[in-house]
Amino acid sequence: MASLKEVKERIVSVSSTQQITKAMKMVAAAKLRRAQDRIIQLRPYSEKLGGLLANVSSGNSEEGMNTYTEVRDVKRVLFVPVTSDRGLCGAFNSNIFKAVKNALTDEEYANAKVEILPIGKKAFDFFRKKNDPVIEEHWNAFSNLSFDVVRAAAEEAMEGFASGKYDKVVLVYNEFKNVATQIVRTEQFLPIVELATEEGASNTNTDYIYEPSKDYIIDELIPKSLKIQMYKSVLESNASEHGARMTAMGKATDNAADLLKELKLTYNRTRQAAITKEILEIVGGAEALASD
């Protein structure tokens, strides 16, 4: 059985840890509110832009062909995993790594050369340790998260696809559903195979007047839509990170409380055992003196 000093030290240690996890939960909750507001505000714009692009490009499969819709044999593929900069958020980051690993088992990538464009320090460190080819310019996007920062990463992926450096670009990120639930998404970023509206959205084509031309409008909308798509993925991941950390720290705080109860019970039992032992020793000594 542990000594009273050891149990007391553990109680102090667990109490300190509980205070830290409780503070981290509160910080994550405050950051989550701001991140959640940003993604909620962006979603309608992203969906509307996608619907507009679908309407403009419908029935125009050959005439409206764009650089970013070209389907090729996949010989070189770029994965864009979006993680956090810090840990202590449960399985948030490891789920992304597993998703990339599972995606690479697909027969389509059996003989393909894979390159990684990580967004988030955890993804950068993980794939660099595995000695995978890593693009190092955009991993710290969360240090100053803005559309301009994410746009630079999107443009690099788009330019690589347009130039033929990559035949396919895949996004892997956590979609924010609620505080306790994050859904891992593996989405094809490029090429744009099918320009369709969101599920449940109206498929009614709108009669637009094009100026200067329909092809020009499509060529302008597609790059903008792709940049918004990547920005939305990063914002989804940002909100998911804070939700995951809030949940993880909440559970850690609860676990620390349960452990404290057990430690205090152990402390009291150990203390009672020590007192009983001392009493027995005194009684034994007194009896020995009396017998003499």
Side-chain angles (χ1 to χ4, degrees), residues 134-150:
V134 173
I135 298 173
E136 301 184 3
E137 285 78 11
H138 310 288
W139 64 267
N140 60 343
F142 288 109
S143 61
N144 184 26
L145 183 57
S146 66
F147 176 71
D148 289 337
V149 172
V150 180

Side-chain angles (χ1 to χ4, degrees), residues 201-240:
S202 174
N203 291 324
T204 304
N205 291 330
T206 305
D207 187 15
Y208 294 105
I209 298 174
Y210 303 102
E211 181 64 37
S213 69
K214 188 173 184 177
D215 290 345
Y216 178 83
I217 297 297
I218 292 176
D219 290 341
E220 288 292 312
L221 280 179
I222 286 181
K224 180 176 289 189
S225 178
L226 289 170
K227 293 170 188 176
I228 291 296
Q229 180 185 347
M230 183 171 288
Y231 184 51
K232 176 176 173 288
S233 302
V234 173
L235 289 188
E236 292 275 8
S237 182
N238 187 42
S240 297

Side-chain angles (χ1 to χ4, degrees), residues 237-285:
S237 182
N238 187 42
S240 297
E241 174 196 348
H242 297 310
R245 181 169 290 111
M246 182 180 171
T247 300
M249 292 300 99
K251 290 180 179 178
T253 302
D254 294 341
N255 291 339
D258 293 339
L259 184 56
L260 278 175
K261 290 180 182 178
E262 294 179 4
L263 287 172
K264 288 177 180 178
L265 184 60
T266 302
Y267 178 82
N268 290 332
R269 286 176 176 171
T270 305
R271 183 168 174 270
Q272 289 172 359
I275 292 172
T276 302
K277 183 180 179 181
E278 289 178 1
I279 291 173
L280 290 173
E281 289 175 351
I282 292 172
V283 172

Side-chain angles (χ1 to χ4, degrees), residues 51-219:
L52 177 64
L53 185 59
N55 276 328
V56 170
S57 60
S58 60
N60 207 41
S61 57
E62 295 297 330
E63 181 184 345
M65 283 294 290
N66 183 280
T67 305
Y68 302 115
T69 62
E70 182 183 352
V71 180
R72 316 168 190 146
D73 292 335
V74 180
K75 297 179 181 178
R76 297 167 297 275
V77 59
L78 176 68
F79 273 85
V80 185
V82 185
T83 64
S84 65
D85 284 345
R86 298 181 295 119
L88 296 176
C89 46
F92 177 83
N93 293 314
S94 60
N95 286 339
I96 295 297
F97 304 146
K98 289 177 183 176
V100 173
K101 182 179 179 181
N102 291 338
L104 290 174
T105 59
D106 195 302
E107 293 181 1
E108 184 180 11
Y109 309 125
N111 299 315
K113 293 183 179 178
V114 178
E115 195 165 344
I116 306 293
L117 194 162
I119 297 179
K121 188 175 186 298
K122 289 296 181 180
F124 175 70
D125 291 341
F126 178 82
F127 290 104
R128 185 177 60 173
K129 287 178 182 177
K130 289 185 61 181
N131 295 320
D132 291 327
V134 173
I135 298 173
E136 301 184 3
E137 285 78 11
H138 310 288
W139 64 267
N140 60 343
F142 288 109
S143 61
N144 184 26
L145 183 57
S146 66
F147 176 71
D148 289 337
V149 172
V150 180
R151 180 178 63 185
E155 287 176 347
E156 177 154 353
M158 292 161 63
E159 289 172 4
F161 181 83
S163 66
K165 182 179 180 180
Y166 309 118
D167 300 311
K168 191 173 184 179
V169 181
V170 180
L171 281 174
V172 186
Y173 66 97
N174 281 287
E175 180 183 24
F176 179 78
K177 185 176 182 181
N178 55 49
V179 174
T181 307
Q182 299 83 39
I183 304 171
V184 179
R185 298 292 187 189
T186 303
E187 294 181 354
Q188 180 171 311
F189 185 64
L190 288 168
I192 304 173
V193 178
E194 183 179 356
L195 300 172
T197 55
E198 296 288 334
E199 184 178 352
S202 174
N203 291 324
T204 304
N205 291 330
T206 305
D207 187 15
Y208 294 105
I209 298 174
Y210 303 102
E211 181 64 37
S213 69
K214 188 173 184 177
D215 290 345
Y216 178 83
I217 297 297
I218 292 176
D219 290 341

